[in-house]
């Protein structure tokens, strides 16, 4: 048994922990502070190896009110520790910046011209989704971010804020406000709340950060790089399983986004108007600038010799008019000039370029486009009038029923659902070949059909208002066949977003995107895409566009087949799709549906992108960013800069860097992975789907029922009214196992697979030389380090049937031990995270603060399930869920 290295807190953790202690003493009193400190000390001692320390005994002295305060205190410590670690750069990865990527590529003989060619057709898109794993209220996150800003001032030696407050006192004030801020939401989140939360990140972080990043990349490349990094969103357009997303919520999301981005442009123009005080008496003024100045209507005598200011006044007036036209509201700072709305972002960009070009031409380029106007031009390129591209998503089963009703009402086909796949495809292609609409305003449609038709009409209206970049993808969940995609085209045709061939090739302004989620779906993906491209009009549309997107789902494939099988099948599907796209002459764009927890595809984006199979990235990749990950990666401008650059750098390396492995090694490693995956799949399915009463064990051991009381999302936890594992959404499945410290979706089955694999030397070679296997093991290692079978056994005590409890938990515990030992053997380590000292210290720092929360949660769950109706018991459970999730960081 190896001796674990001592943990050294970073200075920020010690400082913020001391501030929090002072706040607890000031507001909770000496008694609460001393009891909290006694529990903390006992738990820390226990984790240092002193088994006489008994934090559970100390916990037993708390009454319910003290319990609630104690849980809040430990949750806030974890939140502040997260902040401290983020500031110290623990989340940053070596070499995960564009300069390092360019150096690696240059060393491999890949020049800047190849990089520019890739970026010219590239797309990197972090896509924000409303998946409910963020347990913290926005108010808590806001206070946390203010503390981060104050700590940055403290780093610089600044003693007072711009408002005159002492920095240390201001930090104490923010921590005190955190202590007195309600942790839990009282009301269920609505779609508009989720829209507002996402907009706060897009407006406050993405809008200023992305243009600044491009400025840095322009310098690194020595020329202006194409606009390849563009954010996306699902929020307001993702209807799969969420009945609350409607045409109204889609319109609301789009209007709010336009309001945010146009408001930002107005602010930037106002600031530039104050700055560009260039007088015609001291500078030669370009004819284009003079033309804009004359057309502005700005006749103020004080600005008569300042053409740049007058030109900007006119641009400002036109943006204000655009704001009014698209949002239905006056601009926040309307201005005194009248202007015609801009027809599209390109027209606004053209006017800005007219101003920027002469600034860069005179004086040796001292006022070139690297400044504020250059950043604004870049912002208009990236964000347009829509801010973030909004995806539509719906389940294929819904489309099937809607199309069946449309065809029946139009007298085309009485029972579409009774047709086989070949007959469906033939019928849909016939309908898509004619401009005749199927629907009639005189017909009566069911509520579901009317809702879906209203959605596509809202999308068509959005294209007309904001431009085609506002909605580009329509994702089809549970895609099983080509007809599932053609049905989307039929819906789009009703509103003009699909145009049949009429002397020219057919066109689709919105791309139908298949989502392959289960293991079976991933295996079928290449065959379905082969059939898709075999349709001439489809292939022509994809070639004209230049690419076709395929989305692959991490969460449901994991729940279906376990961690290792999911990881491998996702990689195999990506590899198998590549020749399908090459044969069709179409570029491949993969959309990775990753979650925050390892069981849902979480972990390092940098490592995950670099571990993609050769030839599958091609400079184009989209990745979902969900729940708590959004705040963790994009909560501040500094963290957003780090993470966006890591995503861009990894994409360049994955697309251009020579393959790490020879064909022989690839074949050997793939064959080994097939065997490992098969064994892991059998072990996982045997436990989760083939063990009698496993669902009962799961629902009694974990706080799955209690998690439903957290108002953290707008959609239900299950797809159907059922307690079957198959019908449970992946998020509560992973979340529940994390709370109980089992983390089963992130490792189960791997230990059995390694134990049954005789060639250990080959596994060690794979861990050293294959990025996919290395990343898979690294993510699993983090999960194992956060799990605790001793704590898990206490949760298992909640299972009423002792025989069921002992049988199932025994298998879980044995599987964990096999996985733990197998991982250490394969990676050549004496203990978990031996080769990752910073992450090891980060996790071990938290463990003494998580264990008491787990113990309290178990006790409160016992009381709640026994029928105790004190509201403080229920509240305490929800608080503990919040606190444990905060401490684990990637629990959902």
């Amino acid at each position: 048994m190896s001796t674990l290295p001592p943990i050294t807190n970073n200075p920020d953790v010690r400082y913020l922990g001391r501030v929090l202690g002072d706040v607890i003493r000031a507001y909770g009193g000496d008694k609460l502070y001393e009891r909290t400190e006694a529990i903390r000390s006992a738990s820390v001692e226990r984790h240092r190896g002193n088994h006489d320390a008994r934090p559970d005994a100390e916990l037993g002295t708390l009454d319910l009110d003290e319990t609630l305060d104690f849980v809040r205190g430990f949750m806030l410590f974890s939140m502040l520790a997260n902040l401290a670690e983020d500031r110290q750069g623990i989340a940053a990865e070596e070499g995960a910046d564009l300069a390092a990527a360019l150096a690696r590529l240059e060393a491999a003989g890949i020049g800047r011209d190849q990089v520019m060619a890739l970026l010219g057709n590239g797309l990197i898109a972090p896509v924000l989704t409303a998946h409910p794993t963020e347990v913290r209220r926005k108010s808590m996150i806001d206070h946390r971010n203010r503390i981060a800003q104050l700590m940055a001032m403290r780093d610089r030696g600044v003693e007072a804020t711009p408002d005159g407050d002492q920095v240390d006192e201001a930090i104490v004030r923010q921590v005190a406000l955190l202590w007195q801020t309600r942790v839990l939401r009282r009301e269920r989140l609505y779609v508009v709340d989720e829209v507002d939360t996402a907009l706060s990140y897009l407006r406050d972080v993405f809008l200023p950060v992305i243009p600044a990043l491009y400025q840095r990349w322009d310098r690194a490349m020595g020329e202006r790089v194409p606009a390849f990094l563009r954010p996306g969103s699902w929020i307001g357009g993702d209807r799969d399983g969420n009945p609350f997303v409607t045409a109204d919520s889609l319109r609301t999301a789009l209007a709010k986004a336009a309001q945010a981005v146009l408001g930002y442009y107005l602010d930037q123009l106002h600031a530039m108007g104050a700055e560009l005080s260039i007088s015609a008496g001291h500078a030669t003024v370009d004819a284009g600038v003079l033309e804009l100045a004359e057309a502005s209507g700005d006749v103020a005598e004080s600005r008569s010799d300042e053409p740049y200011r007058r030109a900007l006044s006119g641009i400002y007036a036109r943006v204000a008019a655009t704001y009014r036209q698209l949002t239905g509201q006056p601009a926040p700072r309307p201005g005194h000039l009248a202007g015609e709305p801009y027809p599209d972002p390109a027209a606004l960009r053209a006017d800005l370029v007219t101003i920027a070009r002469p600034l860069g031409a005179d004086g040796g380029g001292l006022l070139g486009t690297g400044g504020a106007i250059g950043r604004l031009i870049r912002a208009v390129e990236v964000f347009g009038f829509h801010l973030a591209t909004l995806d539509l998503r719906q389940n294929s089963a819904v489309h099937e029923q809607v199309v069946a009703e449309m065809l029946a009402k139009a007298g085309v086909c009485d029972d579409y659902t009774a047709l086989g796949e070949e007959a469906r495809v033939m019928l849909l292609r016939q309908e898509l070949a004619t401009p005749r609409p199927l629907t009639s305003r005189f017909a009566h449609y069911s509520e579901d059909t009317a809702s879906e038709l209203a959605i596509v009409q809202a999308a068509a209206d959005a294209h007309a208002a904001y431009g085609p970049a506002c909605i580009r993808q329509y994702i089809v969940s549970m895609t099983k066949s080509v007809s599932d995609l053609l049905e989307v085209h039929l819906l789009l045709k009703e509103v003009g977003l699909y145009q049949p061939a009429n002397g020219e090739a057919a066109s689709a302004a919105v791309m139908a995107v298949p989502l392959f989620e289960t293991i079976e779906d991933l295996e079928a993906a290449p065959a379905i895409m082969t059939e898709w491209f075999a349709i001439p009009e489809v292939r022509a549309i994809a070639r004209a566009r230049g690419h076709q997107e395929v989305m692959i789902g991490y969460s449901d494939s994991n729940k279906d087949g376990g961690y290792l099988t999911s990881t491998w099948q996702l990689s195999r599907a990506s590899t198998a799709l590549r020749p399908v796209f090459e044969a069709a002459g179409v570029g491949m764009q993969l959309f990775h549906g990753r979650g925050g927890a390892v069981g849902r595809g979480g972990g390092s984006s940098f490592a995950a992108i670099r571990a993609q199979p050769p030839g599958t990235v091609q400079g184009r990749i989209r990745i979902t960013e969900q729940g708590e990950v959004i705040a963790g990666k994009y909560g501040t401008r500094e963290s957003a800069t780090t993470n966006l650059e890591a995503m861009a750098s990894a994409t360049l390396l994955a697309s251009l860097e020579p393959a790490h492995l020879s064909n022989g090694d690839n074949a050997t490693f793939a064959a080994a992975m097939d065997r490992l995956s098969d064994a892991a799949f059998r072990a996982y399915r045997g436990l989760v789907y083939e063990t009698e009463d496993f669902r009962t064990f799961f629902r009694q051991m974990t706080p799955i029922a209690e998690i439903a009381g957290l108002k953290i999302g707008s959609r239900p936890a299950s797809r159907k009214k059922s307690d079957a594992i198959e019908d449970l959404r992946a998020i509560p499945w992973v979340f529940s196992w994390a709370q109980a410290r089992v983390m089963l979706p992130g490792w189960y089955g791997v230990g059995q697979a390694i134990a049954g694999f005789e060639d250990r030397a080959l596994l060690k070679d794979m861990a050293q030389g294959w990025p996919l296997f290395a990343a898979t093991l690294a993510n699993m290692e983090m999960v194992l380090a956060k799990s605790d079978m001793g704590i898990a056994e206490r949760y298992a005590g909640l299972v009423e049937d002792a025989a069921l409890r002992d049988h199932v938990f025994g298998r879980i515990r044995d599987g964990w031990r096999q996985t733990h030992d197998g991982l250490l053997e394969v990676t050549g380590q004496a203990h978990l995270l031996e080769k990752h000292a910073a992450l090891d210290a980060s996790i071990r720092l938290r463990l003494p603060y998580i264990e008491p929360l787990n113990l309290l949660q178990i006790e409160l769950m016992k009381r709640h399930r026994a029928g105790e109706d004190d509201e403080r018991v229920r509240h305490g459970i929800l608080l503990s869920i919040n606190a444990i999730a905060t401490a684990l960081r990637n629990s959902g």
Side-chain angles (χ1 to χ4, degrees):
M1 182 72 180
S2 65
T3 302
L4 295 176
I7 301 173
T8 303
N9 289 0
N10 75 49
D12 287 352
V13 172
R14 291 196 298 271
Y15 170 73
L16 291 171
R18 186 169 63 251
V19 169
L20 176 62
D22 292 343
V23 166
I24 291 174
R25 187 193 295 273
Y27 287 93
D30 289 341
K31 180 182 176 184
L32 175 64
Y33 172 81
E34 289 164 3
R35 287 194 171 180
T36 298
E37 183 60 21
I39 295 166
R40 186 196 69 81
S41 298
S43 190
V44 168
E45 282 298 307
R46 172 175 158 75
H47 278 267
R48 286 175 175 166
N50 180 2
H51 298 294
D52 293 330
R54 294 288 308 279
D56 50 346
E58 297 288 347
L59 289 168
T61 67
L62 300 175
D63 62 30
L64 275 175
D65 288 327
E66 290 169 335
T67 294
L68 299 182
D69 286 338
F70 168 80
V71 172
R72 283 196 302 127
F74 266 41
M75 185 273 294
L76 290 179
F77 174 81
S78 296
M79 189 174 182
L80 294 172
N82 294 346
L83 165 63
E85 290 181 352
D86 290 344
R87 283 174 30 77
Q88 295 297 322
I90 286 176
E93 295 164 90
E94 186 177 353
D97 60 87
L98 197 73
L102 292 174
R104 283 184 69 102
L105 292 173
E106 190 171 351
I110 297 164
R112 301 291 172 92
D113 56 338
Q114 291 169 276
V115 174
M116 287 294 289
L118 180 82
L119 296 180
N121 190 43
L123 174 69
I124 300 173
V127 181
L128 308 188
T129 78
H131 287 44
T133 57
E134 174 57 86
V135 294
R136 296 169 298 176
R137 290 178 63 214
K138 186 65 168 55
S139 297
M140 303 288 289
I141 296 171
D142 288 343
H143 286 305
R144 180 256 190 211
N145 290 343
R146 291 185 193 109
I147 293 170
Q149 293 166 359
L150 291 165
M151 291 292 286
M153 293 182 194
R154 191 170 181 267
D155 289 343
R156 298 193 301 268
V158 176
E159 294 185 359
T161 70
D163 296 325
D165 295 329
Q166 291 296 305
V167 168
D168 282 340
E169 292 178 4
I171 291 171
V172 172
R173 186 176 300 113
Q174 287 299 320
V175 174
L177 288 169
L178 267 176
W179 175 255
Q180 296 180 94
T181 297
R182 175 168 44 84
V183 175
L184 300 175
R185 299 182 181 94
R186 287 181 174 172
E187 303 294 334
R188 176 179 68 81
L189 273 181
Y190 293 92
V191 177
V192 68
D193 300 317
E194 294 170 334
V195 168
D196 287 342
T197 297
L199 278 178
S200 69
Y201 292 104
L202 290 165
R203 180 188 60 241
D204 301 337
V205 178
F206 283 78
L207 265 171
V209 162
I210 288 180
L213 264 176
Y214 276 113
Q215 214 170 23
R216 178 193 299 180
W217 295 338
D218 290 345
R219 288 194 295 269
M221 290 296 296
E223 58 184 308
R224 196 171 192 274
V225 301
F228 63 92
L229 174 66
R230 301 171 183 268
S233 174
W234 274 14
I235 306 171
D238 177 12
R239 310 188 306 292
D240 182 17
N242 192 340
F244 305 108
V245 175
T246 63
D248 284 342
S249 60
L250 178 65
R251 281 189 284 267
T252 296
L254 291 162
K256 283 177 172 282
Q259 186 175 0
V261 72
L262 291 169
Y264 175 81
Y265 295 162
L266 289 170
D267 288 343
Q268 299 306 302
L269 288 165
H270 180 75
M272 279 192 289
E275 183 180 59
L276 291 181
S277 55
I278 298 169
S279 169
H282 297 298
T284 302
V285 182
D286 181 85
V289 175
L290 287 173
E291 186 177 342
L292 286 175
E294 291 302 314
S296 70
D298 186 351
V299 295
E301 182 64 29
S302 60
R303 289 188 291 276
S304 61
D305 68 330
E306 296 173 340
Y308 283 93
R309 278 182 166 168
R310 292 171 58 214
L312 286 169
S313 294
I315 294 173
Y316 186 99
R318 294 193 68 184
V319 173
T322 308
Y323 185 104
R324 188 182 312 109
Q325 181 183 64
L326 295 182
T327 70
Q329 302 174 30
R333 192 188 291 113
H336 63 283
L337 299 178
E340 287 294 318
Y342 279 107
D344 52 46
L348 169 58
R349 183 188 182 279
D351 282 355
L352 293 172
V353 169
T354 297
I355 290 178
R357 189 178 292 116
L359 289 175
D362 291 340
L366 293 178
L367 294 177
T369 58
I373 193 162
R375 289 191 294 273
L376 182 56
I377 289 170
R378 184 66 85 171
V380 174
E381 287 178 4
V382 172
F383 302 108
F385 293 162
H386 62 284
L387 183 57
T389 299
L390 182 61
D391 292 356
L392 304 181
R393 184 170 79 130
Q394 183 55 284
N395 196 291
S396 62
V398 174
H399 296 145
E400 179 186 60
Q401 294 300 318
V402 168
V403 168
E405 184 175 353
M406 289 166 58
L407 291 168
K409 294 281 187 181
V412 174
C413 178
D414 290 337
D415 192 357
Y416 170 77
T417 59
L419 299 179
E421 174 65 9
E422 186 177 347
R424 288 189 183 193
V425 170
M426 184 181 299
L427 175 58
L428 292 169
R429 288 184 65 193
Q430 288 172 354
E431 287 300 319
L432 287 167
T434 172
R436 170 183 55 79
L438 278 174
T439 54
S440 167
R441 62 191 179 93
F442 301 108
H444 175 74
Y445 297 98
S446 67
E447 184 178 345
D448 286 346
T449 296
S451 176
E452 294 303 309
L453 291 171
I455 285 281
V456 291
Q457 184 59 61
D461 295 342
H463 269 227
Y466 309 107
C470 68
I471 298 173
R472 291 198 180 277
Q473 283 89 3
Y474 193 131
I475 296 157
V476 185
S477 299
M478 295 297 175
T479 297
K480 306 289 185 184
S481 63
V482 164
S483 62
D484 291 337
L485 301 175
L486 289 175
E487 287 163 3
V488 169
H489 279 178
L490 196 66
L491 289 169
L492 295 173
K493 184 173 81 77
E494 288 299 301
V495 296
L497 293 177
Y498 179 96
Q499 292 290 337
N502 185 18
E504 299 178 359
S507 64
V510 174
M511 176 169 41
V513 177
L515 169 51
F516 300 111
E517 299 176 84
T518 66
I519 300 300
E520 182 181 0
D521 292 343
L522 289 167
E523 291 173 340
I528 291 174
M529 295 312 296
T530 299
E531 294 176 24
W532 180 240
F533 290 136
I535 300 173
E537 58 271 28
V538 165
R539 186 170 60 253
I541 290 170
R543 284 178 175 173
R545 186 191 300 118
H547 65 275
Q548 166 69 48
E549 181 170 287
V550 171
M551 184 173 185
I552 50 178
Y554 289 65
S555 302
D556 281 289
S557 61
N558 178 287
K559 186 165 70 73
D560 182 40
Y563 174 59
L564 191 67
T565 301
S566 169
T567 301
W568 180 229
Q569 288 297 336
L570 288 160
S571 179
R572 284 188 64 183
S574 301
T575 301
L577 284 168
R578 179 186 172 186
V580 173
F581 279 73
E582 288 175 349
V586 176
M588 182 167 70
Q589 178 173 301
L590 291 180
F591 185 10
H592 297 262
R594 304 175 80 226
V598 167
R600 296 182 51 243
S604 162
S605 294
F606 183 71
I609 295 172
R610 293 196 65 197
Q612 293 304 304
T616 62
V617 177
Q618 302 176 8
R620 302 187 69 88
I621 191 168
R622 298 207 306 149
I623 299 176
T624 54
E625 303 285 24
Q626 306 178 6
E628 77 281 5
V629 171
I630 297 175
K633 291 174 70 171
Y634 308 114
T636 66
R637 296 182 184 183
E638 292 76 18
S639 61
T641 298
T642 297
N643 285 289
L644 290 170
E645 182 147 33
M647 189 181 295
S649 305
T651 302
L652 286 183
L653 292 171
S655 301
L656 295 173
E657 199 172 20
H660 296 277
L661 301 176
S662 67
N663 290 336
D665 285 341
N666 259 323
T668 300
F669 290 174
M673 196 65 157
D674 280 337
R675 289 171 54 195
L676 289 169
S677 174
D678 289 345
F681 181 78
R682 288 193 300 272
Y684 176 84
R685 295 287 300 189
L687 175 72
V688 174
Y689 293 102
E690 297 165 13
T691 299
E692 187 176 1
D693 292 330
F694 180 84
R695 71 179 69 176
T696 301
F697 173 89
F698 163 66
R699 291 185 177 276
Q700 291 183 1
M701 176 185 174
T702 72
I704 176 66
E706 289 78 9
I707 285 171
L710 280 174
K711 299 174 175 63
I712 59 175
S714 66
R715 69 180 189 175
S718 288
R719 289 187 170 90
K720 302 175 183 177
K721 292 183 178 180
S722 158
D723 68 348
I725 304 298
E726 294 87 340
D727 295 328
L728 184 67
R729 289 193 177 277
I731 290 170
W733 166 254
V734 174
F735 206 141
S736 302
W737 287 117
Q739 288 285 311
R741 301 293 299 286
V742 180
M743 315 286 192
L744 183 139
W747 58 265
Y748 193 83
V750 182
Q752 294 92 322
I754 292 175
F757 198 91
E758 294 180 358
D759 192 347
R760 300 305 175 87
L762 175 58
L763 294 183
K764 292 177 181 179
D765 288 344
M766 292 164 63
Q768 288 294 318
W770 192 15
L772 173 67
F773 198 56
T776 300
L777 294 181
N779 288 334
M780 186 178 75
E781 187 175 1
M782 176 186 68
V783 168
L784 292 173
K786 291 183 178 182
S787 61
D788 187 317
M789 287 299 108
I791 296 295
E793 187 170 10
R794 297 206 183 203
Y795 278 92
L798 296 169
V799 179
E800 297 168 6
D801 185 329
L804 175 66
R805 174 181 66 235
D806 295 344
H807 171 63
V808 177
F809 185 73
R811 289 174 66 182
I812 292 173
R813 183 177 50 222
D814 292 346
W816 187 93
R817 176 53 58 187
Q818 279 185 305
T819 305
H820 171 273
D821 294 349
L823 174 82
L824 294 184
E825 181 184 358
V826 169
T827 57
Q829 298 179 103
H831 61 82
L832 292 176
L833 299 176
E834 181 182 3
K835 298 177 181 178
H836 305 281
L839 181 58
D840 178 46
S842 168
I843 292 175
R844 287 171 53 215
L845 169 70
R846 281 166 173 69
L847 296 181
Y849 295 85
I850 305 175
E851 180 174 337
L853 296 170
N854 286 124
L855 297 176
L856 278 175
Q857 186 181 89
I858 292 166
E859 182 58 32
L860 292 170
M861 286 168 64
K862 285 180 183 177
R863 294 168 65 170
H864 180 64
R865 293 178 181 185
E868 190 167 338
D869 59 0
D870 192 315
E871 177 61 24
R872 291 173 297 177
V873 172
R874 190 189 71 84
H875 189 67
I877 294 171
L878 299 182
L879 268 180
S880 69
I881 292 171
N882 188 299
I884 293 167
T886 300
L888 291 173
R889 303 209 72 171
N890 50 0
S891 62

